[in-house]
Short mmCIF file of all heavy atoms in Angstrom, two decimals:
data_model
loop_
_atom_site.label_atom_id
_atom_site.label_comp_id
_atom_site.label_asym_id
_atom_site.label_seq_id
_atom_site.Cartn_x
_atom_site.Cartn_y
_atom_site.Cartn_z
N MET N 1 -59.50 46.28 -29.05
CA MET N 1 -58.79 47.39 -29.67
C MET N 1 -58.00 48.12 -28.59
O MET N 1 -58.42 48.16 -27.44
CB MET N 1 -59.75 48.31 -30.40
CG MET N 1 -60.50 49.28 -29.53
SD MET N 1 -61.44 50.44 -30.57
CE MET N 1 -62.30 51.32 -29.31
N PRO N 2 -56.88 48.71 -28.94
CA PRO N 2 -56.12 49.47 -27.94
C PRO N 2 -56.84 50.77 -27.58
O PRO N 2 -57.59 51.33 -28.38
CB PRO N 2 -54.78 49.74 -28.64
CG PRO N 2 -55.02 49.53 -30.08
CD PRO N 2 -56.19 48.62 -30.21
N LEU N 3 -56.59 51.23 -26.38
CA LEU N 3 -57.21 52.46 -25.89
C LEU N 3 -56.88 53.65 -26.78
O LEU N 3 -57.67 54.58 -26.88
CB LEU N 3 -56.76 52.72 -24.45
CG LEU N 3 -57.40 53.87 -23.70
CD1 LEU N 3 -58.91 53.68 -23.59
CD2 LEU N 3 -56.80 54.01 -22.33
N THR N 4 -55.75 53.61 -27.47
CA THR N 4 -55.35 54.72 -28.34
C THR N 4 -56.34 54.97 -29.47
O THR N 4 -56.39 56.07 -30.01
CB THR N 4 -53.96 54.47 -28.95
OG1 THR N 4 -53.95 53.20 -29.59
CG2 THR N 4 -52.88 54.52 -27.90
N LEU N 5 -57.14 53.96 -29.84
CA LEU N 5 -58.11 54.13 -30.93
C LEU N 5 -59.44 54.69 -30.46
O LEU N 5 -60.28 55.06 -31.28
CB LEU N 5 -58.34 52.79 -31.63
CG LEU N 5 -57.13 52.20 -32.35
CD1 LEU N 5 -57.51 50.89 -33.01
CD2 LEU N 5 -56.56 53.17 -33.37
N ALA N 6 -59.66 54.77 -29.15
CA ALA N 6 -60.92 55.32 -28.62
C ALA N 6 -60.91 56.84 -28.75
O ALA N 6 -59.88 57.50 -28.59
CB ALA N 6 -61.10 54.91 -27.17
N ARG N 7 -62.07 57.39 -29.04
CA ARG N 7 -62.22 58.85 -29.18
C ARG N 7 -62.70 59.43 -27.87
O ARG N 7 -63.29 58.74 -27.04
CB ARG N 7 -63.24 59.15 -30.27
CG ARG N 7 -62.76 58.76 -31.65
CD ARG N 7 -63.71 59.33 -32.69
NE ARG N 7 -63.11 59.27 -34.00
CZ ARG N 7 -63.44 58.38 -34.93
NH1 ARG N 7 -64.37 57.49 -34.68
NH2 ARG N 7 -62.84 58.39 -36.10
N PRO N 8 -62.48 60.73 -27.67
CA PRO N 8 -63.02 61.38 -26.46
C PRO N 8 -64.52 61.15 -26.35
O PRO N 8 -65.25 61.26 -27.34
CB PRO N 8 -62.68 62.85 -26.67
CG PRO N 8 -61.46 62.83 -27.52
CD PRO N 8 -61.66 61.66 -28.46
N GLY N 9 -64.96 60.79 -25.17
CA GLY N 9 -66.36 60.50 -24.93
C GLY N 9 -66.70 59.02 -25.00
O GLY N 9 -67.74 58.59 -24.52
N GLU N 10 -65.82 58.22 -25.58
CA GLU N 10 -66.06 56.78 -25.68
C GLU N 10 -65.65 56.08 -24.38
O GLU N 10 -64.72 56.50 -23.71
CB GLU N 10 -65.29 56.16 -26.84
CG GLU N 10 -65.85 56.50 -28.19
CD GLU N 10 -65.17 55.73 -29.31
OE1 GLU N 10 -63.96 55.51 -29.24
OE2 GLU N 10 -65.89 55.37 -30.25
N SER N 11 -66.38 55.01 -24.09
CA SER N 11 -66.09 54.21 -22.90
C SER N 11 -65.94 52.76 -23.31
O SER N 11 -66.36 52.35 -24.39
CB SER N 11 -67.24 54.31 -21.90
OG SER N 11 -67.41 55.63 -21.48
N GLY N 12 -65.35 51.98 -22.44
CA GLY N 12 -65.21 50.56 -22.68
C GLY N 12 -64.72 49.86 -21.43
O GLY N 12 -64.33 50.51 -20.45
N LEU N 13 -64.76 48.53 -21.47
CA LEU N 13 -64.23 47.74 -20.38
C LEU N 13 -62.83 47.27 -20.76
O LEU N 13 -62.59 46.89 -21.90
CB LEU N 13 -65.11 46.51 -20.13
CG LEU N 13 -66.46 46.76 -19.48
CD1 LEU N 13 -67.23 45.46 -19.36
CD2 LEU N 13 -66.30 47.39 -18.12
N ILE N 14 -61.95 47.29 -19.80
CA ILE N 14 -60.59 46.83 -20.05
C ILE N 14 -60.61 45.31 -20.19
O ILE N 14 -61.10 44.60 -19.31
CB ILE N 14 -59.64 47.26 -18.92
CG1 ILE N 14 -59.58 48.78 -18.86
CG2 ILE N 14 -58.26 46.65 -19.11
CD1 ILE N 14 -58.77 49.32 -17.70
N LYS N 15 -60.09 44.82 -21.31
CA LYS N 15 -60.03 43.38 -21.57
C LYS N 15 -58.73 42.79 -21.02
O LYS N 15 -58.74 41.74 -20.41
CB LYS N 15 -60.12 43.10 -23.06
CG LYS N 15 -61.34 43.66 -23.73
CD LYS N 15 -62.49 42.69 -23.66
CE LYS N 15 -63.61 43.16 -24.54
NZ LYS N 15 -64.80 43.49 -23.84
N ARG N 16 -57.63 43.47 -21.31
CA ARG N 16 -56.33 43.00 -20.82
C ARG N 16 -55.31 44.13 -20.91
O ARG N 16 -55.52 45.12 -21.59
CB ARG N 16 -55.85 41.78 -21.59
CG ARG N 16 -55.46 42.05 -23.03
CD ARG N 16 -54.96 40.79 -23.72
NE ARG N 16 -54.67 41.05 -25.11
CZ ARG N 16 -53.49 41.51 -25.56
NH1 ARG N 16 -52.51 41.74 -24.73
NH2 ARG N 16 -53.31 41.76 -26.84
N ILE N 17 -54.21 43.94 -20.18
CA ILE N 17 -53.10 44.89 -20.18
C ILE N 17 -51.88 44.15 -20.71
O ILE N 17 -51.55 43.06 -20.22
CB ILE N 17 -52.80 45.41 -18.75
CG1 ILE N 17 -54.04 45.99 -18.10
CG2 ILE N 17 -51.66 46.41 -18.77
CD1 ILE N 17 -54.55 47.26 -18.69
N GLY N 18 -51.24 44.71 -21.70
CA GLY N 18 -50.05 44.09 -22.27
C GLY N 18 -48.78 44.76 -21.76
O GLY N 18 -48.83 45.63 -20.90
N GLY N 19 -47.66 44.34 -22.30
CA GLY N 19 -46.39 44.95 -21.93
C GLY N 19 -45.60 44.13 -20.94
O GLY N 19 -45.97 43.02 -20.58
N ARG N 20 -44.50 44.69 -20.51
CA ARG N 20 -43.61 44.03 -19.56
C ARG N 20 -44.26 43.98 -18.18
O ARG N 20 -45.16 44.78 -17.89
CB ARG N 20 -42.28 44.76 -19.51
CG ARG N 20 -41.58 44.72 -20.86
CD ARG N 20 -40.26 45.41 -20.95
NE ARG N 20 -39.75 46.01 -19.74
CZ ARG N 20 -38.66 46.71 -19.67
NH1 ARG N 20 -37.96 46.91 -20.75
NH2 ARG N 20 -38.24 47.22 -18.54
N PRO N 21 -43.82 43.07 -17.33
CA PRO N 21 -44.41 42.96 -15.98
C PRO N 21 -44.38 44.27 -15.19
O PRO N 21 -45.35 44.59 -14.50
CB PRO N 21 -43.56 41.89 -15.30
CG PRO N 21 -43.04 41.05 -16.41
CD PRO N 21 -42.85 42.00 -17.56
N GLU N 22 -43.30 45.04 -15.31
CA GLU N 22 -43.22 46.32 -14.59
C GLU N 22 -44.29 47.29 -15.09
O GLU N 22 -44.89 48.03 -14.31
CB GLU N 22 -41.87 47.01 -14.75
CG GLU N 22 -40.61 46.25 -14.59
CD GLU N 22 -40.22 45.38 -15.75
OE1 GLU N 22 -39.95 45.87 -16.86
OE2 GLU N 22 -40.17 44.17 -15.53
N THR N 23 -44.50 47.30 -16.40
CA THR N 23 -45.51 48.18 -16.99
C THR N 23 -46.90 47.78 -16.54
O THR N 23 -47.71 48.63 -16.17
CB THR N 23 -45.41 48.15 -18.53
OG1 THR N 23 -44.09 48.50 -18.92
CG2 THR N 23 -46.40 49.10 -19.17
N ARG N 24 -47.19 46.49 -16.58
CA ARG N 24 -48.50 46.01 -16.14
C ARG N 24 -48.74 46.34 -14.68
O ARG N 24 -49.84 46.75 -14.30
CB ARG N 24 -48.63 44.50 -16.38
CG ARG N 24 -48.73 44.15 -17.86
CD ARG N 24 -49.20 42.74 -18.10
NE ARG N 24 -48.47 41.73 -17.36
CZ ARG N 24 -47.44 41.04 -17.84
NH1 ARG N 24 -47.03 41.25 -19.08
NH2 ARG N 24 -46.83 40.13 -17.11
N GLN N 25 -47.72 46.18 -13.84
CA GLN N 25 -47.86 46.50 -12.42
C GLN N 25 -48.11 47.99 -12.22
O GLN N 25 -48.95 48.38 -11.41
CB GLN N 25 -46.61 46.06 -11.65
CG GLN N 25 -46.70 46.30 -10.15
CD GLN N 25 -47.77 45.46 -9.50
OE1 GLN N 25 -47.89 44.29 -9.78
NE2 GLN N 25 -48.55 46.07 -8.63
N PHE N 26 -47.40 48.83 -12.95
CA PHE N 26 -47.59 50.28 -12.86
C PHE N 26 -49.02 50.66 -13.21
O PHE N 26 -49.68 51.42 -12.49
CB PHE N 26 -46.59 50.99 -13.79
CG PHE N 26 -46.78 52.48 -13.84
CD1 PHE N 26 -46.35 53.28 -12.80
CD2 PHE N 26 -47.38 53.08 -14.93
CE1 PHE N 26 -46.53 54.66 -12.84
CE2 PHE N 26 -47.56 54.45 -14.99
CZ PHE N 26 -47.14 55.24 -13.93
N LEU N 27 -49.52 50.12 -14.33
CA LEU N 27 -50.89 50.43 -14.75
C LEU N 27 -51.92 49.88 -13.76
O LEU N 27 -52.92 50.53 -13.48
CB LEU N 27 -51.15 49.89 -16.16
CG LEU N 27 -50.41 50.64 -17.28
CD1 LEU N 27 -50.52 49.89 -18.59
CD2 LEU N 27 -50.94 52.04 -17.43
N GLU N 28 -51.65 48.69 -13.21
CA GLU N 28 -52.55 48.12 -12.20
C GLU N 28 -52.61 49.01 -10.97
O GLU N 28 -53.68 49.21 -10.39
CB GLU N 28 -52.07 46.73 -11.81
CG GLU N 28 -53.00 46.02 -10.86
CD GLU N 28 -52.52 44.62 -10.52
OE1 GLU N 28 -52.20 43.87 -11.45
OE2 GLU N 28 -52.45 44.31 -9.31
N ASN N 29 -51.49 49.58 -10.57
CA ASN N 29 -51.46 50.48 -9.42
C ASN N 29 -52.27 51.75 -9.67
O ASN N 29 -52.76 52.36 -8.72
CB ASN N 29 -50.03 50.84 -9.03
CG ASN N 29 -49.28 49.66 -8.45
OD1 ASN N 29 -49.87 48.71 -7.97
ND2 ASN N 29 -47.96 49.73 -8.49
N LEU N 30 -52.40 52.14 -10.93
CA LEU N 30 -53.22 53.30 -11.28
C LEU N 30 -54.70 52.96 -11.39
O LEU N 30 -55.53 53.85 -11.55
CB LEU N 30 -52.73 53.90 -12.60
CG LEU N 30 -51.37 54.60 -12.58
CD1 LEU N 30 -50.99 55.04 -13.99
CD2 LEU N 30 -51.39 55.79 -11.65
N GLY N 31 -55.03 51.66 -11.34
CA GLY N 31 -56.43 51.25 -11.41
C GLY N 31 -56.82 50.57 -12.70
O GLY N 31 -57.98 50.20 -12.88
N PHE N 32 -55.88 50.40 -13.62
CA PHE N 32 -56.17 49.75 -14.89
C PHE N 32 -56.07 48.24 -14.73
O PHE N 32 -55.00 47.66 -14.85
CB PHE N 32 -55.19 50.23 -15.97
CG PHE N 32 -55.33 51.67 -16.32
CD1 PHE N 32 -54.57 52.64 -15.69
CD2 PHE N 32 -56.24 52.08 -17.29
CE1 PHE N 32 -54.69 53.98 -16.01
CE2 PHE N 32 -56.37 53.42 -17.62
CZ PHE N 32 -55.60 54.37 -16.98
N VAL N 33 -57.21 47.62 -14.43
CA VAL N 33 -57.26 46.16 -14.27
C VAL N 33 -58.38 45.62 -15.17
O VAL N 33 -59.35 46.33 -15.48
CB VAL N 33 -57.50 45.74 -12.81
CG1 VAL N 33 -56.30 46.06 -11.95
CG2 VAL N 33 -58.73 46.38 -12.24
N ALA N 34 -58.24 44.37 -15.60
CA ALA N 34 -59.22 43.75 -16.48
C ALA N 34 -60.60 43.80 -15.84
O ALA N 34 -60.76 43.54 -14.65
CB ALA N 34 -58.81 42.32 -16.77
N GLY N 35 -61.59 44.18 -16.64
CA GLY N 35 -62.96 44.26 -16.18
C GLY N 35 -63.38 45.63 -15.70
O GLY N 35 -64.57 45.87 -15.48
N SER N 36 -62.44 46.55 -15.54
CA SER N 36 -62.77 47.90 -15.07
C SER N 36 -63.24 48.77 -16.24
O SER N 36 -62.66 48.72 -17.32
CB SER N 36 -61.55 48.56 -14.44
OG SER N 36 -61.16 47.89 -13.29
N PRO N 37 -64.27 49.59 -16.01
CA PRO N 37 -64.69 50.52 -17.06
C PRO N 37 -63.72 51.70 -17.15
O PRO N 37 -63.19 52.16 -16.15
CB PRO N 37 -66.07 50.98 -16.60
CG PRO N 37 -66.09 50.75 -15.13
CD PRO N 37 -65.15 49.63 -14.85
N VAL N 38 -63.49 52.16 -18.37
CA VAL N 38 -62.60 53.30 -18.61
C VAL N 38 -63.26 54.20 -19.65
O VAL N 38 -63.88 53.71 -20.59
CB VAL N 38 -61.19 52.83 -19.05
CG1 VAL N 38 -61.23 52.08 -20.35
CG2 VAL N 38 -60.22 53.99 -19.15
N SER N 39 -63.14 55.52 -19.46
CA SER N 39 -63.69 56.50 -20.40
C SER N 39 -62.60 57.47 -20.82
O SER N 39 -61.81 57.90 -19.98
CB SER N 39 -64.81 57.31 -19.74
OG SER N 39 -65.84 56.48 -19.31
N VAL N 40 -62.59 57.80 -22.10
CA VAL N 40 -61.63 58.77 -22.60
C VAL N 40 -62.23 60.16 -22.41
O VAL N 40 -63.31 60.45 -22.90
CB VAL N 40 -61.29 58.52 -24.09
CG1 VAL N 40 -60.35 59.59 -24.61
CG2 VAL N 40 -60.71 57.13 -24.27
N ILE N 41 -61.51 61.01 -21.70
CA ILE N 41 -61.97 62.38 -21.45
C ILE N 41 -61.47 63.30 -22.56
O ILE N 41 -62.24 64.05 -23.15
CB ILE N 41 -61.50 62.89 -20.07
CG1 ILE N 41 -61.95 61.96 -18.96
CG2 ILE N 41 -61.96 64.32 -19.83
CD1 ILE N 41 -63.44 61.81 -18.81
N SER N 42 -60.17 63.26 -22.82
CA SER N 42 -59.61 64.11 -23.88
C SER N 42 -58.29 63.55 -24.37
O SER N 42 -57.69 62.68 -23.74
CB SER N 42 -59.42 65.54 -23.38
OG SER N 42 -58.42 65.59 -22.39
N ARG N 43 -57.86 64.09 -25.50
CA ARG N 43 -56.57 63.74 -26.10
C ARG N 43 -55.81 65.03 -26.37
O ARG N 43 -56.38 65.98 -26.87
CB ARG N 43 -56.77 63.00 -27.42
CG ARG N 43 -57.53 61.72 -27.29
CD ARG N 43 -57.67 61.09 -28.65
NE ARG N 43 -56.38 60.61 -29.05
CZ ARG N 43 -56.14 59.37 -29.46
NH1 ARG N 43 -57.11 58.52 -29.57
NH2 ARG N 43 -54.93 59.00 -29.79
N MET N 44 -54.55 65.01 -26.04
CA MET N 44 -53.69 66.17 -26.31
C MET N 44 -52.38 65.65 -26.88
O MET N 44 -51.60 65.03 -26.15
CB MET N 44 -53.41 66.95 -25.02
CG MET N 44 -54.65 67.59 -24.43
SD MET N 44 -54.35 68.40 -22.86
CE MET N 44 -54.13 67.00 -21.80
N GLY N 45 -52.19 65.85 -28.17
CA GLY N 45 -51.02 65.27 -28.81
C GLY N 45 -51.14 63.76 -28.76
O GLY N 45 -52.14 63.20 -29.15
N GLY N 46 -50.13 63.09 -28.25
CA GLY N 46 -50.19 61.65 -28.10
C GLY N 46 -50.69 61.21 -26.74
O GLY N 46 -50.84 60.02 -26.48
N ASN N 47 -50.93 62.16 -25.85
CA ASN N 47 -51.34 61.82 -24.49
C ASN N 47 -52.85 61.80 -24.36
O ASN N 47 -53.56 62.46 -25.11
CB ASN N 47 -50.75 62.82 -23.49
CG ASN N 47 -49.25 62.85 -23.55
OD1 ASN N 47 -48.61 61.83 -23.72
ND2 ASN N 47 -48.67 64.03 -23.42
N MET N 48 -53.34 61.04 -23.38
CA MET N 48 -54.78 60.93 -23.16
C MET N 48 -55.09 61.17 -21.69
O MET N 48 -54.29 60.81 -20.83
CB MET N 48 -55.28 59.53 -23.52
CG MET N 48 -54.98 59.10 -24.93
SD MET N 48 -55.55 57.43 -25.23
CE MET N 48 -57.25 57.75 -25.60
N ILE N 49 -56.23 61.76 -21.44
CA ILE N 49 -56.75 61.84 -20.08
C ILE N 49 -57.96 60.92 -20.06
O ILE N 49 -58.88 61.05 -20.87
CB ILE N 49 -57.15 63.27 -19.68
CG1 ILE N 49 -55.90 64.15 -19.69
CG2 ILE N 49 -57.83 63.27 -18.32
CD1 ILE N 49 -56.16 65.60 -19.37
N VAL N 50 -57.92 59.94 -19.15
CA VAL N 50 -58.99 58.96 -19.05
C VAL N 50 -59.55 58.96 -17.63
O VAL N 50 -58.87 59.37 -16.69
CB VAL N 50 -58.50 57.55 -19.43
CG1 VAL N 50 -58.03 57.51 -20.87
CG2 VAL N 50 -57.40 57.07 -18.52
N GLU N 51 -60.79 58.51 -17.52
CA GLU N 51 -61.39 58.37 -16.20
C GLU N 51 -61.49 56.89 -15.89
O GLU N 51 -62.01 56.10 -16.68
CB GLU N 51 -62.78 58.99 -16.17
CG GLU N 51 -63.38 58.94 -14.79
CD GLU N 51 -64.68 59.71 -14.67
OE1 GLU N 51 -64.94 60.57 -15.54
OE2 GLU N 51 -65.42 59.45 -13.73
N ILE N 52 -60.94 56.52 -14.75
CA ILE N 52 -60.97 55.13 -14.29
C ILE N 52 -61.22 55.12 -12.80
O ILE N 52 -60.56 55.86 -12.06
CB ILE N 52 -59.68 54.37 -14.66
CG1 ILE N 52 -59.75 52.93 -14.24
CG2 ILE N 52 -58.46 55.00 -14.09
CD1 ILE N 52 -59.46 51.97 -15.32
N LYS N 53 -62.21 54.38 -12.38
CA LYS N 53 -62.58 54.26 -10.96
C LYS N 53 -62.79 55.61 -10.30
O LYS N 53 -62.34 55.86 -9.19
CB LYS N 53 -61.54 53.43 -10.22
CG LYS N 53 -61.46 52.00 -10.71
CD LYS N 53 -60.55 51.17 -9.87
CE LYS N 53 -60.59 49.73 -10.37
NZ LYS N 53 -59.75 48.86 -9.59
N GLY N 54 -63.42 56.53 -11.02
CA GLY N 54 -63.75 57.83 -10.46
C GLY N 54 -62.61 58.83 -10.45
O GLY N 54 -62.77 59.95 -9.97
N ALA N 55 -61.45 58.46 -10.96
CA ALA N 55 -60.30 59.37 -10.99
C ALA N 55 -59.90 59.64 -12.44
O ALA N 55 -60.08 58.80 -13.31
CB ALA N 55 -59.13 58.76 -10.23
N ARG N 56 -59.37 60.82 -12.66
CA ARG N 56 -58.84 61.15 -13.99
C ARG N 56 -57.34 60.94 -13.98
O ARG N 56 -56.64 61.43 -13.09
CB ARG N 56 -59.18 62.60 -14.34
CG ARG N 56 -60.65 62.75 -14.59
CD ARG N 56 -61.00 64.13 -15.04
NE ARG N 56 -62.45 64.17 -15.29
CZ ARG N 56 -63.03 65.10 -16.01
NH1 ARG N 56 -62.33 66.07 -16.53
NH2 ARG N 56 -64.33 65.06 -16.20
N VAL N 57 -56.87 60.21 -14.99
CA VAL N 57 -55.47 59.84 -15.07
C VAL N 57 -54.96 60.17 -16.47
O VAL N 57 -55.64 59.91 -17.46
CB VAL N 57 -55.30 58.31 -14.81
CG1 VAL N 57 -53.85 57.89 -14.91
CG2 VAL N 57 -55.87 57.93 -13.46
N ALA N 58 -53.76 60.74 -16.54
CA ALA N 58 -53.13 61.01 -17.82
C ALA N 58 -52.18 59.86 -18.16
O ALA N 58 -51.41 59.42 -17.31
CB ALA N 58 -52.35 62.32 -17.77
N VAL N 59 -52.28 59.35 -19.37
CA VAL N 59 -51.39 58.30 -19.83
C VAL N 59 -50.82 58.69 -21.19
O VAL N 59 -51.51 59.32 -22.00
CB VAL N 59 -52.08 56.92 -19.93
CG1 VAL N 59 -52.44 56.38 -18.56
CG2 VAL N 59 -53.31 56.97 -20.79
N ASN N 60 -49.57 58.33 -21.42
CA ASN N 60 -48.99 58.66 -22.71
C ASN N 60 -49.40 57.61 -23.75
O ASN N 60 -50.01 56.59 -23.41
CB ASN N 60 -47.46 58.81 -22.62
CG ASN N 60 -46.75 57.53 -22.28
OD1 ASN N 60 -47.25 56.43 -22.50
ND2 ASN N 60 -45.56 57.66 -21.71
N GLN N 61 -49.08 57.85 -24.99
CA GLN N 61 -49.52 57.01 -26.08
C GLN N 61 -48.97 55.58 -25.95
O GLN N 61 -49.68 54.62 -26.24
CB GLN N 61 -49.09 57.62 -27.41
CG GLN N 61 -49.67 56.91 -28.61
CD GLN N 61 -49.41 57.68 -29.89
OE1 GLN N 61 -48.73 58.70 -29.90
NE2 GLN N 61 -49.95 57.20 -30.97
N ASP N 62 -47.73 55.44 -25.49
CA ASP N 62 -47.15 54.10 -25.34
C ASP N 62 -47.90 53.28 -24.29
O ASP N 62 -48.16 52.09 -24.51
CB ASP N 62 -45.67 54.19 -24.94
CG ASP N 62 -44.81 54.79 -26.05
OD1 ASP N 62 -45.20 54.68 -27.24
OD2 ASP N 62 -43.75 55.36 -25.72
N MET N 63 -48.24 53.90 -23.19
CA MET N 63 -48.99 53.20 -22.14
C MET N 63 -50.41 52.88 -22.62
O MET N 63 -50.91 51.78 -22.39
CB MET N 63 -49.07 54.02 -20.86
CG MET N 63 -47.78 54.19 -20.15
SD MET N 63 -47.34 52.69 -19.33
CE MET N 63 -45.90 53.23 -18.46
N ALA N 64 -51.06 53.83 -23.27
CA ALA N 64 -52.42 53.63 -23.75
C ALA N 64 -52.49 52.50 -24.78
O ALA N 64 -53.48 51.78 -24.85
CB ALA N 64 -52.97 54.92 -24.34
N ALA N 65 -51.43 52.32 -25.55
CA ALA N 65 -51.41 51.25 -26.56
C ALA N 65 -51.38 49.87 -25.92
O ALA N 65 -51.76 48.88 -26.55
CB ALA N 65 -50.20 51.43 -27.48
N LYS N 66 -50.97 49.77 -24.68
CA LYS N 66 -50.90 48.49 -23.99
C LYS N 66 -52.22 48.12 -23.30
O LYS N 66 -52.37 47.01 -22.82
CB LYS N 66 -49.76 48.51 -22.96
CG LYS N 66 -48.39 48.60 -23.62
CD LYS N 66 -47.32 48.81 -22.62
CE LYS N 66 -45.93 48.80 -23.19
NZ LYS N 66 -45.70 49.57 -24.37
N ILE N 67 -53.16 49.07 -23.25
CA ILE N 67 -54.46 48.84 -22.61
C ILE N 67 -55.47 48.46 -23.68
O ILE N 67 -55.79 49.26 -24.55
CB ILE N 67 -54.91 50.09 -21.85
CG1 ILE N 67 -53.87 50.48 -20.81
CG2 ILE N 67 -56.27 49.87 -21.20
CD1 ILE N 67 -54.07 51.86 -20.21
N MET N 68 -55.97 47.22 -23.63
CA MET N 68 -56.93 46.74 -24.61
C MET N 68 -58.34 46.83 -24.05
O MET N 68 -58.59 46.39 -22.92
CB MET N 68 -56.65 45.29 -24.99
CG MET N 68 -55.31 45.08 -25.63
SD MET N 68 -55.21 45.94 -27.20
CE MET N 68 -53.45 46.01 -27.42
N ILE N 69 -59.23 47.45 -24.85
CA ILE N 69 -60.64 47.56 -24.42
C ILE N 69 -61.53 46.80 -25.38
O ILE N 69 -61.13 46.46 -26.47
CB ILE N 69 -61.09 49.03 -24.28
CG1 ILE N 69 -60.91 49.78 -25.58
CG2 ILE N 69 -60.35 49.70 -23.18
CD1 ILE N 69 -61.53 51.17 -25.58
#
């Protein structure tokens, strides 16, 4: 399921990252790689704050839709 469907407090492992190569590289640089655990901290509008590898990162709805957990 895409990360956009996860509720605050839910966690999961990243299965894959979709999108164009530039988008995948950008997300990989932020720590979003297959097999990494990710937790949703909060949602504000279409944006999400997630915790990945001990850091909190804000991603917009379009980016979150490309992250499959």
